Amino acid sequence: MTWKTCILASVTALWPMGVVAETLPTDQDIYLLGEVHDNPRHHLGQAAMIEEIQPKAVVFEQLSPRGAQIANTTPRDDLTALGEAMNWDESGWPPFRMYAVIFDVMGDTPAVGMASPFGKAREAFASGAAATFGAGAEQFGLTTSLDGTEQAAREQLQYDAHCAAMPLEMMPGMVEAQRYRDAAFAQTIIQAVETYGSPVAVILGNGHARTDWAVPRFLERVSPDLEVFSVGFVEIGAPDLPFDLQIPTEAPDRGDPCAALAPKT
């Protein structure tokens, strides 16, 4: 059995097309397909939804514009070669074999990269999201401070996400970096709709897909006429997050991700 055959068999077994069709509205411009990055089940679910949506383009958090260009000019009949051409496994993301299923079901659908240079996040950490974003920052709401309750919640979330290994005093900068990334992602997604038409599908982490303060907020603010549907593939027992549709799965056996950062005794 070939890799491609194995992938398609896995998608069909875990995410029957009839089940997917029943869960997705058909009149949306943008489908945000959130994930826990290292959960293979989530990528199988995303692939099944892309097969159902038949998007005009697929936007990836994991790809830079250059990476997307490589994805669009490299034949996709050899997934191993595609991953190597994109230098995916040296990018810091989970192995390409987890994401290959998505590229497989895409066929020739264009990929769009929305990853910002790492230096931009560092700049936002130091100088703020608005200064880093530049022109359009006011339109995206980045010149307005968050209210105290949201700011405190987001700082605590960042603190916990980094295993309490960074000083709490650094968390306002982490929140600004996240606000910058969410706004930049929304900007790229809007451009993808303008370039390719709707619908577009978006592969991104759940923290960016949540409907209360992430990418959906910026899309609603800047392009309120676009219909947006946010799916969160989550893990059973994880904290509840707001999505239009939440799909729980088992977590992979990854151990304690914070163990390596725990103080040595």
Side-chain angles (χ1 to χ4, degrees), residues 8-160:
L8 294 178
S10 297
V11 171
T12 303
L14 285 179
W15 301 99
M17 292 300 108
V19 173
V20 173
E22 290 174 3
T23 59
L24 285 176
T26 59
D27 57 350
Q28 304 296 290
D29 298 298
I30 298 166
Y31 294 86
L32 303 175
L33 307 182
E35 65 183 41
V36 176
H37 298 308
D38 67 344
N39 192 320
R41 295 179 178 88
H42 294 183
H43 305 310
L44 289 171
Q46 290 167 326
M49 288 193 168
I50 286 172
E51 189 125 90
E52 180 66 25
I53 295 165
Q54 292 293 300
K56 302 290 180 58
V58 180
V59 187
F60 286 86
E61 174 186 0
Q62 298 80 4
L63 288 179
S64 66
R66 172 58 180 158
Q69 181 183 30
I70 294 171
N72 292 332
T73 55
T74 302
R76 296 181 188 168
D77 55 351
D78 185 337
L79 296 173
T80 299
L82 175 63
E84 291 173 351
M86 292 188 294
N87 203 32
W88 184 290
D89 286 344
E90 284 71 52
S91 67
W93 290 102
F96 181 70
R97 55 183 167 76
M98 292 191 189
Y99 288 85
V101 60
I102 297 172
F103 287 91
D104 187 63
V105 300
M106 282 171 60
D108 295 328
T109 303
V112 176
M114 64 179 182
S116 300
F118 180 69
K120 284 291 188 179
R122 295 183 64 178
E123 181 183 341
F125 176 91
S127 303
T132 304
F133 195 86
E138 184 174 1
Q139 179 189 18
F140 277 80
L142 295 175
T143 56
T144 303
S145 298
L146 301 177
D147 70 61
T149 300
E150 181 179 334
Q151 180 71 34
R154 294 182 69 156
E155 289 179 16
Q156 186 63 50
L157 183 66
Q158 289 290 332
Y159 186 69
D160 295 340

Side-chain angles (χ1 to χ4, degrees), residues 124-125 151 155 158 167-177:
F125 176 91
Q151 180 71 34
E155 289 179 16
Q158 289 290 332
L168 195 56
E169 293 75 18
M170 295 180 68
M171 294 307 106
M174 299 298 291
V175 172
E176 284 298 294

